[in-house]
Amino acid sequence: MARNNKIRLSTEDIVFDTINYILLTIVIIVTLYPFIHVLAVSFNDAIDTVRGGIYLFPRKFTTFNYVSILSDSEIYNATIISALRAIIGSALNVLASIIVAYAISRRDFVLRGIVSKIFTYSMYFSSGLIPYYLLIRDLHLMNNFLVYILPGIVSAWNIMVVRSYIDGLPASLIESAKLDGASELRIIFSIIFPLSVPVLATITLFVAVGQWNSWFDTMLFCSMNPNLSTLQYELQKVLQSTQQFTQQASFDMGLRNNSNTVTPESIRAAMTIVAIVPIMIVYPFLQKYFVKGLTIGSVKG
């Protein structure tokens, strides 16, 4: 006879699982509803949205909000700039992180302790916004694309995270490579890099999201050059413009032209979706590395 492998759950287990499912369902609803609401507003007629009552589904479906946004040449240029800074910035940050992390993970590196302390102190103390602005100005990075890249190449936090991961790798791998005559760069890119993919993928996504969502540095350093405007900065300008209009003013505008009309709220919703969709597309490809990448350093091998 086949053995019955089913495990009977006690009453306490059933109650515990039920409460967990209920709480997780509530969390999912609370998390997804704002996005679904914005999505519904973005696809709803702008004047109809002023009436309110849009929750999960658009009442009068239209794509004119997106047509209005995508017909603006500044949006295309801003999207390209945001994509470039996200790709280049994250790639250089990961490259710098693994090289520096490998260096300070080596016990034979004489300045290992001093460099580690400098990076640690930099995570707790900052010079402030004004000295930072003056530094960028003196480096002639104002209205320059490099202002998006150079300040973020080195991240003390990412370096410490990658170093913790490297410390958990078997030291015998590096010793064997050195006995075979491998150089330090060969060890980094042929041994350390492939073994550190989980943590590198994790910080890549964090850096890319930070670069993609950044708008303050655009306003501070590149506001005078529209060719360097980013997508998030354009969205921020739209959000600020909504404060200059009321729902009644938008409704009156629609009465004069009730077709192909946009309002600040509809444009804001559509631009929000446009801004977050690229990250949502990239996230699933890197999600599998999160569990291992985010728990690095918790167990030393």
Side-chain angles (χ1 to χ4, degrees):
M1 294 178 62
R3 181 176 298 177
N4 188 0
N5 293 325
K6 293 184 178 179
I7 300 177
R8 294 183 178 180
L9 298 177
S10 63
T11 303
E12 292 80 2
D13 292 333
I14 296 176
V15 172
F16 179 78
D17 290 342
T18 302
I19 294 176
N20 274 343
Y21 290 140
I22 293 174
L23 291 177
L24 290 175
T25 302
I26 294 174
V27 171
I28 292 174
I29 294 174
V30 171
T31 303
L32 290 181
Y33 174 73
F35 174 77
I36 296 176
H37 171 70
V38 173
L39 185 64
V41 171
S42 69
F43 279 108
N44 195 71
D45 180 74
I47 302 306
D48 182 71
T49 301
V50 177
R51 294 167 48 197
I54 305 298
Y55 299 108
L56 297 178
F57 303 100
R59 189 165 44 224
K60 295 180 63 176
F61 183 85
T62 181
T63 59
F64 184 73
N65 296 325
Y66 290 96
V67 172
S68 177
I69 291 175
L70 298 178
S71 62
D72 187 356
S73 60
E74 293 184 359
I75 296 299
Y76 287 102
N77 182 74
T79 303
I80 293 174
I81 295 297
S82 294
L84 287 176
R85 67 175 295 180
I87 295 173
I88 298 174
S90 57
L92 292 180
N93 183 279
V94 169
L95 180 63
S97 296
I98 192 170
I99 291 177
V100 177
Y102 171 76
I104 62 178
S105 69
R106 301 296 300 151
R107 298 187 180 277
D108 53 354
F109 179 43
V110 179
L111 300 178
R112 177 173 183 263
I114 297 176
V115 174
S116 298
K117 290 179 181 178
I118 292 175
F119 282 125
T120 303
Y121 293 153
S122 68
M123 291 191 294
Y124 293 98
F125 303 100
S126 173
S127 60
L129 181 59
I130 294 178
Y132 179 63
Y133 180 87
L134 296 177
L135 175 63
I136 295 298
R137 185 196 63 184
D138 293 340
L139 292 175
H140 304 289
L141 293 178
M142 300 291 291
N143 298 308
N144 191 325
F145 179 77
L146 292 178
V147 76
Y148 297 145
I149 306 299
L150 296 182
I153 289 181
V154 177
S155 171
W157 171 259
N158 290 344
I159 290 173
M160 292 303 176
V161 168
V162 177
R163 188 197 70 170
S164 180
Y165 190 92
I166 294 176
D167 286 340
L169 299 177
S172 58
L173 293 176
I174 299 176
E175 295 175 358
S176 299
K178 286 189 173 182
L179 290 176
D180 292 337
S183 63
E184 299 292 352
L185 289 178
R186 181 67 182 273
I187 293 174
I188 292 175
F189 292 107
S190 298
I191 299 177
I192 303 300
F193 188 91
L195 295 176
S196 303
V197 168
V199 67
L200 295 180
T202 302
I203 67 173
T204 296
L205 184 61
F206 287 164
V207 175
V209 170
Q211 289 278 20
W212 179 264
N213 290 334
S214 181
W215 62 269
F216 187 70
D217 53 356
T218 304
M219 182 187 69
L220 203 60
F221 305 122
C222 299
S223 59
M224 301 300 294
N225 188 350
N227 293 327
L228 293 178
S229 181
T230 58
L231 182 61
Q232 298 297 337
Y233 181 58
E234 294 298 322
L235 175 60
Q236 178 63 21
K237 290 194 295 185
V238 172
L239 296 178
Q240 291 177 349
S241 69
T242 59
Q243 300 175 0
Q244 303 174 6
F245 298 92
T246 62
Q247 289 186 346
Q248 185 60 41
S250 299
F251 183 72
D252 292 341
M253 179 182 63
L255 292 179
R256 294 191 295 269
N257 183 16
N258 55 15
S259 63
N260 292 343
T261 301
V262 296
T263 61
E265 184 177 2
S266 63
I267 290 295
R268 177 179 59 185
M271 288 198 67
T272 301
I273 298 300
V274 169
I276 66 177
V277 163
I279 295 299
M280 293 182 61
I281 294 175
V282 174
Y283 180 84
F285 296 99
L286 299 178
Q287 184 183 15
K288 63 181 180 179
Y289 297 110
F290 275 19
V291 175
K292 187 174 181 180
L294 289 177
T295 56
I296 51 91
S298 58
V299 178
K300 296 296 183 181

